[in-house]
Amino acid sequence: MPTIVLANPKGGAGKSTTALVLATTLAAEGATVTVLDCDPNKPIAGWRTGASNNPVEVVSDITESTILPRLDALRTQRQFVIVDLEGTASRLASRALSRAQLVIIPIQASAVDAEQAARAIQLVREEEQSFEREIPCRVAFTRTSPQIATRLERHIIAELKDGEVPTFKTALHERAAFKGMFFYRLALNELDPKQVNGLPGAIENANAFAGEVVDILSARAQGKAA
């Protein structure tokens, strides 16, 4: 089953938020999902200590020597395995990328984030050469405005297109509910709309993003089958 890796050498790009939103949304729809929290700060493992009834499984005791056997075992047991990588290039990151069916590179609409995204893409390309196989990757914008794209965001998107860098059509917008997931340690559909503003819009956004991820993986699987 698919292994999805979240990678970006820059902290604060929305990597863990994207991983948690994606994982809990898929699990809420009935999929079996495991997240490998490889971030040294263990934000998703911390979220799992809360009272959420969302069935996503979180594993945090991952090392460079255990990640491959753990991934290989989980891929036969779970419908989705999502890896939230640490922020730096490492042997652990390299090994996770070797098993990826999709690499998601979250970035904010800033020049610094765009530069770091280019580094992440270069790392993926180097791993492709090492393992002699294609590793699909896509850039995902995070913390964008739900109303209208900023001029800088449009400029960065245009540059990525000029560089033939694939991007998600769906961005994860700036939403209080996405932050609220970590604060209350609950899934989106468990949050109280009286305590969190804009919850319906956040759930719609999360569903659209998860749906696009599933569509990408399905199209790739069908292409391989063909």
Side-chain angles (χ1 to χ4, degrees), residues 130-201:
S130 297
F131 295 104
E132 298 184 341
R133 77 172 186 90
E134 179 190 4
I135 304 175
C137 66
R138 274 178 169 72
V139 169
F141 281 88
T142 65
R143 301 188 68 180
T144 56
S145 168
Q147 280 79 37
I148 186 169
T150 65
R151 183 176 299 177
L152 178 59
E153 184 182 336
R154 293 194 298 269
H155 178 71
I156 292 174
I157 290 173
E159 284 194 340
L160 291 173
K161 287 183 177 178
D162 289 343
E164 299 183 344
V165 176
T167 60
F168 278 88
K169 297 176 183 177
T170 307
L172 284 181
H173 301 310
E174 177 68 55
R175 297 283 188 181
F178 295 153
K179 296 177 181 178
M181 294 176 71
F182 287 98
F183 183 80
Y184 294 106
R185 297 183 179 180
L186 296 172
L188 283 174
N189 62 348
E190 298 171 320
L191 293 172
D192 186 345
K194 295 179 181 178
Q195 294 179 317
V196 180
N197 293 329
L199 185 55

Side-chain angles (χ1 to χ4, degrees), residues 8 86 128 171-172:
N8 191 321
E86 57 188 336
E128 285 183 324
L172 284 181

Side-chain angles (χ1 to χ4, degrees), residues 52-188:
S52 175
N53 290 317
N54 187 283
V56 66
E57 176 188 46
V58 179
V59 178
S60 60
D61 59 336
I62 300 298
T63 66
E64 64 180 40
S65 61
T66 63
I67 188 167
L68 285 183
R70 190 69 71 92
L71 274 176
D72 290 342
L74 286 169
R75 288 192 303 167
T76 67
Q77 303 164 6
R78 313 290 282 179
Q79 290 174 289
F80 296 93
V81 181
I82 298 173
V83 184
D84 183 18
L85 283 179
E86 57 188 336
T88 57
S90 65
R91 186 175 297 180
L92 187 150
S94 173
R95 291 178 176 179
L97 290 172
S98 74
R99 295 293 193 268
Q101 276 73 52
L102 175 64
V103 178
I104 300 175
I105 303 171
I107 69 168
Q108 295 184 46
S110 74
V112 173
D113 276 43
E115 290 175 1
Q116 295 303 316
R119 286 183 57 195
I121 292 167
Q122 180 60 34
L123 176 62
V124 172
R125 299 299 175 236
E126 290 172 2
E127 297 302 326
E128 285 183 324
Q129 294 177 3
S130 297
F131 295 104
E132 298 184 341
R133 77 172 186 90
E134 179 190 4
I135 304 175
C137 66
R138 274 178 169 72
V139 169
F141 281 88
T142 65
R143 301 188 68 180
T144 56
S145 168
Q147 280 79 37
I148 186 169
T150 65
R151 183 176 299 177
L152 178 59
E153 184 182 336
R154 293 194 298 269
H155 178 71
I156 292 174
I157 290 173
E159 284 194 340
L160 291 173
K161 287 183 177 178
D162 289 343
E164 299 183 344
V165 176
T167 60
F168 278 88
K169 297 176 183 177
T170 307
L172 284 181
H173 301 310
E174 177 68 55
R175 297 283 188 181
F178 295 153
K179 296 177 181 178
M181 294 176 71
F182 287 98
F183 183 80
Y184 294 106
R185 297 183 179 180
L186 296 172
L188 283 174

Side-chain angles (χ1 to χ4, degrees), residues 19-35 47-48 52-57 78-80 82 181 186-191 202-204 206-207 210 214:
L20 183 61
V21 169
L22 176 61
T24 52
T25 300
L26 292 171
E29 292 297 316
T32 55
V33 184
T34 294
V35 176
W47 170 89
R48 183 69 279 181
S52 175
N53 290 317
N54 187 283
V56 66
E57 176 188 46
R78 313 290 282 179
Q79 290 174 289
F80 296 93
I82 298 173
M181 294 176 71
L186 296 172
L188 283 174
N189 62 348
E190 298 171 320
L191 293 172
I203 292 174
E204 181 181 0
N207 287 337
V214 171

